[in-house]
Amino acid sequence: MSMDRIRELIDRMTLREKLGQLQIVFRPKLEDAAELVRAGLGSVFWPPSAAATNSLQRVAVEESRLGIPVLVGLDVIHGQRTIAPVPLAQAAGFDPALVTELAALAAAEARSGGVTWTFSPMADISRDPRWGRVVEGFGEDVHLTSTMVRAMVRGYQGGDLTSRTSLAATAKHFVAYGAPEGGRDYNGVDASDHQLRNVHLEPFRAAVEEGAAGVMAAFNTVAGVPMHANRRLLTGVLKDEWGFDGVVVGDAEGVRNLVAHRVAGDEAAAVVLAFEAGLDVEMGGAPADLTDEALTRIDGRRLDDAVARVLALKERLGLFDDPYVDEDAEITEPSARSRRLVRRAAARACVLLRNDGTLPLGSPRRVVVTGPYADSTDHLGAWTQYFGARAGTIADRLRDRLPDAVLEILPGVGFLDEDGSGIPAVVAAAHSADVVVICAGEPSALSGEAASRSDLRLPGRQEDLIRAVAGTGTPFVVVLESGRPLVVADWIEHAPTVVAAWHGGTEAPAAIVDVLLGDEDPAGRLPMSWPRSVGQIPIHYAHENTGRPATTGGTLSADETDVGLHGPDNLQDKFTSKYLDLELGPQFSFGHGSSYATFACGSPTVSREHVECSALDAGAAVTVSLDVTNTSARSGDDVVQVYVEDVVASVAPPVRRLVAFERRTLTPGETASFTFEIGRDQLGFWMTDAAQPRFVVEPGVFRLHVGSTLASMQSVELLVS
Ligand code: NOJ
């Protein structure tokens, strides 16, 4: 259908029919949905099956006055039937091509059931692990998040939305939803333009460039203006400046919430405010007091523009030509191939936080498997309540893989309760075991929407269990499953071997066993810093340079002169940016991780040491290269990361920021050359000193830090003039 046909259709619509196209009704009962669609409703959230969506499409096409097919939306976040690792875990894989494959799998499964529109990926930058939704995004870093957002959009949408394996993607939550005050979901955000441009908006800009069909408005305020009513950002930046021509959808009841935000007196006023700000589709129940008179308060051209965007999306999806799906081809179960894919992804998401050589396990004869995750099936993570295939248990998978070993499965403690009476039995069993595998963590329900926590330690008595096992002297491994970084300070020094496995999805137990036995290399890297204490939050590696950087932290002791309270001795250290009662930096930084293999890095080199700004503006780039050799007797993955340090800038720059990375498998003895392009996009930043922000590269010296972890970087300088 051409734009002319869309215009023609809009000309024939009543005001009510236009409004119908501008709503997605949230989880209606099937019979109610049919009634609403017959009356002209444009989109429905929550399709139970291919047959049900076909019957709704039939009502739309055959029984509604204009015969416009419906959009069927759903939160397909990390899988539909076959559940992939949670997005935070996918980020830990540092493997964008794999993220694309996982999204393509999810899209094919969901579209086969009639879903056409997903509310994913989450493009929010998360620097506060108290916020439960960190699980749904790609962590704290702008470049990593933008890269993964692009990868996911590509996977969902493919090259052609009419394909029966594609979904329209929605980048959410526009914008800065990841920075709520206090880490409490839905709370207000006060971000400067400098922060918005350089941090929060960037992944959305990437999504728009990648052709994402939708963008969802966030629940939060930005500088006092709720995003559902934020004309400056929804229309000014997203649509006018970036040229986004897709659909801006509201979050569930986000328009209605404008009343609770106290920026609208009633629902009708809220609807007017939201559409005038640039919203195109309202998600929720139909607003109760929306009269025709209220609708006429919205500028007619704005209303028509919103309707045109919705119809154009339906057209892009091919729904006007064929709105139905083949009910016989509906995918309702994971296939062997899809299971293999998510198993590999779950293993690649694992991050080896520490290893004293206990991993991989080899062929132990007596194994104790303990902790609440030992025998649990809760591996899917947030957002899988709809259709996801259940996962098995780690204990069962270990039994399958170690048929000759004696396995004792003793959970010892629960996830949350304070009952530690099972710990002595675990200790007794550990004494006569070759190795103990402690499967600990946060159950899925503790992360996700409306699941913020103020205490990020392992809940219940799990820490006691770890300390008790450590006391036996038997080698042991801690496998942590969680939807966020945890605070592990109270036990980590007692636990020399720890793997972060996140929530890995349908095949998580098999993948964890693959990692334990060394079939897969847990060479992921942390996509978010793990704090030492909740008191350090928000925490992220790319913080601004302070005028008073500290070199020591945690100097508080019984002797008050140590902290420079008296006498001149410590004055230099006293007035620096730190906590007196905490060591400097996080427990584990962003980018931290390791491998079962060992690697030696050469020195980084640049293709040239000097480049002119004008050349960068014209598209020139410098390459930085590094040789890495696998010095071990096994294959393994290295993840080479490149960070830029802008030595002197006109705005205090972050200490470093990631600009490139690559994960590659190296065979024993293999030397591989990693090469990265560094150009304008990598060296510049958004300058917000004038009404219209500009992306600038300032002349001066840049240090490029290259290596496998932040702690082991080597640097090389580049002069820009
Ligand atoms: C609220 C969430 O914030 C959003 O991400 C989701 O897409 C909608 N609910 C619909 O479930």
Side-chain angles (χ1 to χ4, degrees):
M1 179 184 290
S2 65
M3 224 32 218
D4 286 348
R5 296 267 319 272
I6 288 177
R7 290 270 152 240
E8 238 172 70
L9 202 48
I10 293 174
D11 286 346
R12 289 168 53 209
M13 286 180 171
T14 64
L15 210 50
R16 285 278 145 193
E17 281 167 336
K18 288 180 185 175
L19 180 69
Q21 290 302 313
L22 304 185
Q23 287 187 313
I24 176 162
V25 170
F26 198 60
R27 303 188 190 188
K29 284 197 210 114
L30 207 53
E31 55 280 16
D32 295 346
E35 198 43 51
L36 290 165
V37 166
R38 196 171 289 116
L41 177 67
S43 306
V44 175
F45 182 105
W46 187 248
S49 66
T53 52
N54 274 350
S55 84
L56 264 192
Q57 292 292 19
R58 212 162 287 122
V59 172
V61 172
E62 293 171 12
E63 298 175 31
S64 75
R65 192 178 75 92
L66 296 168
I68 301 173
V70 284
L71 288 170
V72 176
L74 188 69
D75 294 302
V76 181
I77 308 290
H78 52 112
Q80 175 76 337
R81 305 290 182 172
T82 319
I83 302 301
V86 293
L88 189 64
Q90 293 187 34
F94 272 67
D95 185 351
L98 185 55
V99 171
T100 299
E101 267 190 90
L102 295 170
L105 167 67
E109 289 186 354
R111 183 91 186 234
S112 81
V115 181
T116 40
W117 190 11
T118 180
F119 304 111
S120 170
M122 188 175 107
D124 302 311
I125 298 290
S126 332
R127 294 173 168 181
D128 188 333
R130 291 172 299 183
W131 188 50
R133 290 203 88 168
V134 303
V135 66
E136 199 183 334
F138 300 112
E140 74 182 47
D141 183 66
V142 178
H143 176 69
L144 181 65
T145 299
S146 304
T147 305
M148 296 310 190
V149 162
R150 282 182 189 274
M152 210 173 237
V153 169
R154 274 199 297 277
Y156 286 137
Q157 298 197 163
D160 170 14
L161 279 182
T162 63
S163 156
R164 289 312 160 104
T165 55
S166 295
L167 288 180
T170 308
K172 69 188 188 184
H173 308 80
F174 191 81
V175 61
Y177 182 46
E181 217 173 87
R184 226 178 59 225
D185 209 359
Y186 315 127
N187 211 3
V189 175
D190 196 2
S192 64
D193 279 0
H194 173 68
Q195 277 289 311
L196 280 178
R197 288 285 172 171
N198 287 290
V199 178
H200 300 292
L201 284 167
E202 274 302 279
F204 288 93
R205 208 168 61 83
V208 170
E209 267 185 20
E210 202 58 52
V215 168
M216 181 184 282
F219 284 129
N220 53 281
T221 55
V222 169
V225 185
M227 280 310 305
H228 282 69
N230 202 314
R231 192 177 155 74
R232 178 174 83 100
L233 293 166
L234 290 181
T235 298
V237 174
L238 177 63
K239 290 183 170 176
D240 292 348
E241 189 184 320
W242 296 351
F244 175 66
D245 61 1
V247 172
V248 177
V249 59
D251 202 340
E253 308 292 359
V255 172
R256 232 178 259 249
N257 292 169
L258 293 176
V259 178
H261 272 300
R262 306 296 182 93
V263 299
D266 56 32
E267 284 178 20
V271 171
V272 175
L273 210 53
F275 282 106
E276 298 235 300
L279 199 88
D280 300 313
V281 170
E282 186 263 344
M283 179 186 283
D289 50 1
L290 200 61
T291 58
D292 282 353
E293 181 280 318
L295 276 178
T296 53
R297 275 189 264 153
I298 306 171
D299 176 77
R301 274 170 318 187
R302 173 73 268 278
L303 215 54
D304 288 358
D305 166 58
V307 177
R309 287 167 182 264
V310 173
L311 297 181
L313 177 55
K314 294 182 178 187
E315 168 62 7
R316 261 182 96 185
L317 284 158
L319 295 176
F320 284 104
D321 296 325
D322 182 4
Y324 303 109
V325 286
D326 178 355
E327 290 172 29
D328 295 332
E330 181 175 13
I331 302 167
T332 55
E333 292 290 336
S335 66
R337 185 196 152 267
S338 68
R339 282 187 188 276
R340 270 199 306 278
L341 178 62
V342 297
R343 177 170 173 173
R344 179 158 169 270
R348 285 172 78 77
C350 288
V351 180
L352 198 53
L353 294 176
R354 318 182 72 194
N355 188 13
D356 67 352
T358 303
L359 282 179
L361 289 182
S363 321
R365 285 182 316 110
R366 298 187 68 86
V367 185
V368 173
V369 189
T370 185
Y373 262 117
D375 218 7
S376 165
T377 56
D378 174 41
H379 306 282
L380 300 188
W383 282 120
T384 48
Q385 65 275 40
Y386 305 138
F387 303 105
R390 306 293 310 157
T393 72
I394 298 174
D396 286 344
R397 292 292 77 77
L398 260 177
R399 260 193 222 101
D400 296 346
R401 296 291 309 278
L402 296 174
D404 299 329
V406 178
L407 251 61
E408 261 192 280
I409 316 298
L410 294 170
V413 298
F415 278 116
L416 305 177
D417 63 67
E418 290 301 323
D419 179 4
S421 61
I423 296 178
V426 177
V427 168
H431 276 298
S432 51
D434 296 331
V435 69
V436 181
V437 178
I438 305 178
C439 305
E442 260 191 2
S444 299
L446 290 199
S447 55
E449 188 176 347
S452 294
R453 288 184 70 201
S454 66
D455 181 351
L456 301 185
R457 291 174 297 180
L458 283 170
R461 299 290 300 275
Q462 299 186 63
E463 295 197 345
D464 290 339
L465 175 72
I466 295 172
R467 281 188 290 259
V469 170
T472 66
T474 301
F476 72 102
V477 176
V478 180
V479 177
L480 288 177
E481 288 192 51
S482 68
R484 59 153 64 81
L486 298 172
V487 169
V488 297
D490 291 346
W491 55 267
I492 194 76
E493 291 313 324
H494 305 290
T497 305
V498 184
V499 180
W502 319 103
H503 292 131
T506 304
E507 291 296 313
I512 287 170
V513 173
D514 290 341
V515 163
L516 294 176
L517 300 183
D519 299 341
E520 293 275 1
D521 191 18
R525 295 291 190 267
L526 292 181
M528 280 184 85
S529 303
W530 285 40
R532 295 177 190 278
S533 142
V534 162
Q536 281 180 309
I537 296 172
I539 186 167
H540 63 109
Y541 81 93
H543 56 83
E544 241 171 49
N545 280 290
T546 138
R548 300 283 181 96
T551 51
T552 56
T555 50
L556 187 61
S557 75
D559 178 359
E560 63 183 20
T561 58
D562 277 358
V563 291
L565 293 181
H566 303 293
D569 294 357
N570 280 329
L571 284 186
Q572 282 302 31
D573 262 4
K574 164 71 183 155
F575 297 104
T576 57
S577 182
K578 60 178 179 291
Y579 298 102
L580 292 177
D581 52 359
L582 214 55
E583 273 180 61
L584 288 183
Q587 191 84 50
F588 298 111
S589 171
F590 172 87
H592 172 79
S594 176
S595 161
Y596 288 156
T598 50
F599 301 96
C601 292
S603 302
T605 53
V606 277
S607 54
R608 49 183 167 149
E609 287 166 2
H610 173 211
V611 63
E612 288 178 352
C613 269
S614 54
L616 291 171
D617 287 345
V622 173
T623 57
V624 59
S625 307
L626 181 83
D627 282 350
V628 179
T629 303
N630 181 346
T631 52
S632 71
R634 57 161 294 150
S635 278
D637 287 14
D638 201 10
V639 183
V640 177
Q641 303 156 48
V642 184
Y643 294 81
V644 162
E645 178 190 350
D646 192 345
V647 175
V648 177
S650 55
V651 176
V655 289
R656 289 171 188 194
R657 59 193 173 78
L658 183 74
V659 295
F661 62 87
E662 187 186 348
R663 176 174 183 164
R664 227 193 279 177
T665 305
L666 273 68
T667 53
E670 180 183 350
T671 297
S673 187
F674 288 74
T675 299
F676 305 93
E677 290 214 332
I678 307 296
R680 184 172 183 272
D681 288 355
Q682 287 69 36
L683 298 172
F685 68 95
W686 286 93
M687 177 74 106
T688 53
D689 59 346
Q692 188 51 46
R694 293 156 294 143
F695 190 80
V696 296
V697 179
E698 293 186 333
V701 175
F702 291 81
R703 264 180 220 122
L704 307 178
H705 301 274
V706 191
S708 311
T709 65
L710 264 179
S712 65
M713 293 278 146
Q714 304 182 71
S715 57
V716 58
E717 286 192 355
L718 175 66
L719 176 66
V720 175
S721 62

